[in-house]
Amino acid sequence: MLIAYIFAAPFTVMTSIDAPDADAPRFRLVAIPEEMDTPVEVRAVSAGPEDAAGAGYAPPMSPFRFDAEPKRAAYSAAAE
Amino acid sequence: MRSSLDLTPASSPEDPEDAERSADSTPTGSQAAWSLRTRRIIFATLVLATVAALGSAFWTVLAVDGWTIPEFVMLGCFLISAPWIVIGFWNALVGFSILRFAPDPMRVVAPCIADTPADSPIDARVAVVMCVRHEDPARVVRRLDAVTRSLDATGWGGRFDVFVLSDSQKPDAVAEEEATISRWRESLARPERVTYRRRTSNEGFKAGNIRDFVLDQGAAYDVMITLDADSVMSGEAILRLVRVMQANPKLGILQSLVVGLPARTIFARAFQFGMRASMRSYTMGAAWWAGDNGPYWGHNAAIRIAAFRDHCRLPTVPGGAPLGGAVLSHDLFEAVLMRKGGYEVRVLPEEGGSWEDNPASLPEFLRRNLRWCQGNMQYLRLIGSPGLPFLGRVNLMIAILMYAGAPAWIVFMVAGAAQAWDPPVVIGGGGDDPFPWTLSTALVVMMMLVLFAPKIMGYLDVLLQPAESRRYGGQGVFAAGVAAEVTFGMLFAPIVSFSVTAFLLQLFVLRKPLGWEAQDRDGRRVRWSEAMRLLWPATLFGVALAVSLWLTAPDVLPGPPPC
């Protein structure tokens, strides 16, 4: 806890940078039209095994680049 | 003028039929009153018993060798901060149990939602309202356009109109706002569905803005969907709220469970990862006992306009500065007033189609948090208002405790450091009882469990569902995310506590309230100079504590002991 106080400023600066996978198209809002293009890069990708089963909401997100590349590739392919 | 379809029943809460029904059940008639009363008694008993048990254990640990002044202070701070933490613990545990073991969780916590058909026609006239003040108009339009297109895709778009309610004052911002929204309207097949209205004075802030809409244009609509400038809702999610409102004429507010929109910065990602996990079980647990006295979070909710107009007129907070004046944290108090007016306030404790932006950096988070803190402190002057339902007062008290725990925690740390200087015993002492190491260790472990329970339960809920874990990239990936978020949280929470404490000192000692300005919603890299300017008091506090402990109890500090 003392570390949190003492290093508050570096913590603030370091966490304000973009996450390593900030540009990855890994977030899908299937119920939102594709035209939506927010500053946080919300993108609609309409296909995918979960979506076919009816799961219609944004997938959870990891703080950092923990998702596997094949999964990301699948999203990209679905987007195309 | 009333709308063509008036969902508000002709009867009022004072009618004998209503009175009889409300004695036996909640206003919608969907839940037995005795059942909710029993749940609340059970929940209160669990909370009070847990606080008493933890307090008793801490008392026992402190009482060894008598009592010093810092020990009294520590016990007092512990008892102030414990209730909020313990409420969170039981909410999470109850919510987790329902999520994992109930065959139909929604039926357990909100039968009126569970009983609503998923495909009933939309008869209501609905206004989608977004309040803006000096926001990026392009972003506002992007989001509203997405919402309207999504609604149109459901086939029910014709029942919905959109209102942009502006409180912007700066001429440049106003001009850009008007031009951008005008262009958007011209691009629509039905431009008349979008109304832009600007107030020349932002009296009453956002709540005043909504109030003016309700009085001026709200009569043409049955329900309004409130959105913030950082909100997005899918058409299906909005339809679900509206269908439940249609099916339950005595439901005044239905709040959706909001999750964070995908974000770019590490701060926002880590924050929303933890927040999403903890809200899932916490909200389900709170809905179990709060029932018809649920929360309203100010946006991403459906509100019955006529009931809101009749019952949710906010008072002016009595007294002078820093708390007097317009109600800032209007949402929760409006929920209390709605329930006082005889209408239920419910939360839909399931994720699905309801999003918001999270602050992109710590400074922005702190600014927002302190605004909320100031607003919640106003409840100190509102909690005794005549006629409020008891559960409403409980909700207001919980909102106050949410912030009261921060200074208690900081003072606790200072008192702990002071205790290390071996102050004189003022009561008791002289005995030779051994220090209860087992009890003190168990107490620390228990406090950690209680404190982190909402997140632990949320993470467990994901880990125990293979399909859900896969959506995160698998259990291993998810566990790594948890580890990262826990580390983040341990660095983040103390800074927030210190910030709240410093602000409360400013508020109550210097009597200097915050302004209520627009948020910076765009992520930007925080400069070192800004971070140092904002956080040097926290750094100084940490260094002072470390020096104090280095002089008195060096063993508790990491690293080699001093020579």
Side-chain angles (χ1 to χ4, degrees):
Chain A
M1 202 168 294
L2 287 177
I3 290 170
Y5 294 126
I6 293 170
F7 296 104
F11 171 79
T12 302
V13 173
M14 297 309 294
T15 55
S16 73
I17 64 175
D18 281 359
D21 60 347
D23 288 319
R26 55 191 297 277
F27 304 114
R28 303 152 304 147
L29 306 181
V30 294
I32 300 291
E34 285 186 1
E35 288 77 5
M36 183 177 183
D37 179 24
T38 73
V40 287
E41 298 293 324
V42 176
R43 296 173 188 179
V45 180
S46 56
E50 298 100 318
D51 300 332
Y57 58 98
M61 56 203 75
S62 295
F64 306 109
R65 189 198 292 265
F66 290 136
D67 62 328
E69 285 297 328
K71 190 171 183 181
R72 183 182 304 165
Y75 292 159
S76 301
E80 291 163 6
Chain B
M1 184 183 108
R2 294 175 76 93
S3 62
S4 56
L5 176 79
D6 190 348
L7 296 174
T8 309
S11 61
S12 71
E14 289 76 27
D15 287 344
E17 192 181 326
D18 270 3
E20 187 181 338
R21 186 170 61 176
S22 62
D24 298 332
S25 65
T26 61
T28 60
S30 63
Q31 211 166 6
W34 68 264
S35 163
L36 270 178
R37 271 198 303 275
T38 306
R39 291 181 184 187
R40 289 162 186 166
I41 290 169
I42 292 170
F43 191 82
T45 305
L46 288 171
V47 169
L48 292 173
T50 307
V51 171
L54 292 171
S56 171
F58 195 44
W59 174 292
T60 305
V61 171
L62 292 175
V64 174
D65 293 336
W67 287 86
T68 66
I69 297 292
E71 284 176 329
F72 277 120
V73 172
M74 289 167 73
L75 182 64
C77 290
F78 182 89
L79 293 176
I80 289 171
S81 58
W84 158 251
I85 300 169
V86 170
I87 287 170
F89 168 76
W90 282 111
N91 274 344
L93 202 61
V94 170
F96 176 78
S97 305
I98 294 170
L99 283 168
R100 296 303 306 159
F101 304 117
D104 184 356
M106 192 62 74
R107 185 162 299 285
V108 175
V109 300
C112 65
I113 300 175
D115 289 337
T116 301
D119 55 355
S120 54
I122 303 296
D123 301 318
R125 288 291 302 156
V126 184
V128 176
V129 301
M130 178 183 279
C131 293
V132 299
R133 177 174 164 79
H134 301 143
E135 300 287 347
D136 172 9
R139 186 210 315 264
V140 167
V141 165
R142 240 183 349 250
R143 298 198 168 191
L144 285 175
D145 193 52
V147 172
T148 51
R149 285 170 186 269
S150 186
L151 279 168
D152 290 345
T154 67
W156 293 106
R159 307 300 298 172
F160 295 81
D161 289 337
V162 176
F163 289 83
V164 182
L165 308 177
S166 171
D167 263 357
S168 298
Q169 309 284 314
K170 298 174 185 169
D172 290 353
V174 169
E176 194 183 346
E177 219 171 60
E178 289 176 350
T180 307
I181 291 170
S182 176
R183 279 196 301 274
W184 179 44
R185 289 185 85 238
E186 287 165 10
S187 73
L188 298 173
R190 260 197 325 124
E192 70 278 6
R193 78 188 299 187
V194 174
T195 302
Y196 171 78
R197 188 274 275 140
R198 190 174 73 82
R199 301 196 303 171
T200 51
S201 157
N202 71 326
E203 186 182 347
F205 306 113
K206 180 183 159 190
N209 197 355
I210 293 273
R211 182 87 198 155
D212 283 355
F213 162 76
V214 166
L215 294 177
D216 294 343
Q217 290 145 307
Y221 299 91
D222 307 299
V223 172
M224 62 178 167
I225 302 293
T226 52
L227 297 178
D228 260 0
D230 62 357
S231 308
V232 183
M233 290 188 75
S234 72
E236 284 298 338
I238 291 175
L239 292 192
R240 187 174 188 200
L241 295 185
V242 173
R243 284 184 171 120
V244 176
M245 296 294 281
Q246 286 183 164
N248 297 278
K250 296 295 281 184
L251 180 58
I253 298 176
L254 180 57
Q255 173 69 57
S256 68
L257 182 58
V258 190
V259 301
L261 274 166
R264 296 188 67 87
T265 64
I266 290 173
F267 178 87
R269 285 280 182 89
F271 173 77
Q272 57 194 189
F273 182 83
M275 179 85 173
R276 185 171 190 169
S278 57
M279 284 298 283
R280 207 179 296 189
S281 54
Y282 184 100
T283 308
M284 185 65 79
W288 177 77
W289 62 268
D292 56 335
N293 281 268
Y296 171 42
W297 298 326
H299 55 91
N300 295 42
I303 297 178
R304 189 173 308 283
I305 290 181
F308 189 85
R309 179 195 61 216
D310 294 344
H311 300 291
C312 298
R313 185 183 181 85
L314 291 171
T316 300
V317 182
L323 298 181
V327 178
L328 300 177
S329 291
H330 59 93
D331 38 19
L332 183 57
F333 201 70
E334 286 165 344
V336 174
L337 292 177
M338 183 67 89
R339 186 62 194 87
K340 178 190 174 190
Y343 290 83
E344 292 191 16
V345 179
R346 295 269 180 179
V347 63
L348 197 165
E350 273 183 3
E351 292 178 356
S354 183
W355 299 277
E356 66 173 340
D357 276 338
N358 295 120
S361 65
L362 182 65
E364 192 51 39
F365 175 88
L366 294 181
R367 273 189 280 275
R368 188 187 73 170
N369 194 49
L370 297 186
R371 283 198 303 272
W372 290 356
C373 172
Q374 181 174 321
N376 285 18
M377 287 302 117
Q378 288 184 312
Y379 295 156
L380 288 166
R381 292 188 180 167
L382 294 173
I383 198 168
S385 305
L388 298 186
F390 176 72
L391 251 291
R393 295 185 205 277
V394 170
N395 286 339
L396 295 176
M397 179 52 71
I398 290 173
I400 295 168
L401 284 175
M402 185 165 74
Y403 289 103
W409 181 244
I410 295 294
V411 174
F412 182 96
M413 290 189 66
V414 172
Q419 177 65 21
W421 286 88
D422 203 13
V425 172
V426 293
I427 294 178
D432 54 358
D433 293 336
F435 185 77
W437 285 106
T438 306
L439 180 62
S440 63
T441 306
L443 184 59
V444 170
V445 171
M446 274 305 297
M447 281 308 295
M448 290 297 107
L449 276 177
V450 169
L451 185 61
F452 290 109
K455 284 183 182 173
I456 293 171
M457 298 303 161
Y459 293 144
L460 269 180
D461 187 45
V462 173
L463 284 169
L464 292 174
Q465 300 178 72
E468 191 68 11
S469 296
R470 274 198 299 277
R471 297 178 60 238
Y472 282 86
Q475 288 181 326
V477 168
F478 181 73
V482 170
E485 194 281 325
V486 167
T487 306
F488 168 86
M490 290 174 76
L491 295 170
F492 166 67
I495 301 171
V496 175
S497 294
F498 186 87
S499 156
V500 169
T501 305
F503 172 70
L504 288 175
L505 277 175
Q506 171 190 314
L507 191 67
F508 288 111
V509 178
L510 302 179
R511 309 181 76 74
K512 192 176 160 194
L514 282 174
W516 203 267
E517 289 303 318
Q519 295 177 43
D520 174 12
R521 303 189 194 280
D522 296 317
R524 61 183 172 78
R525 185 160 188 170
V526 178
R527 292 192 302 275
W528 279 96
S529 56
E530 182 189 357
M532 288 304 298
R533 194 168 56 248
L534 181 71
L535 295 163
W536 69 265
T539 303
L540 190 64
F541 177 72
V543 170
L545 273 184
V547 169
S548 175
L549 289 172
W550 185 76
L551 292 172
T552 56
D555 293 346
V556 304
L557 294 175
C563 299

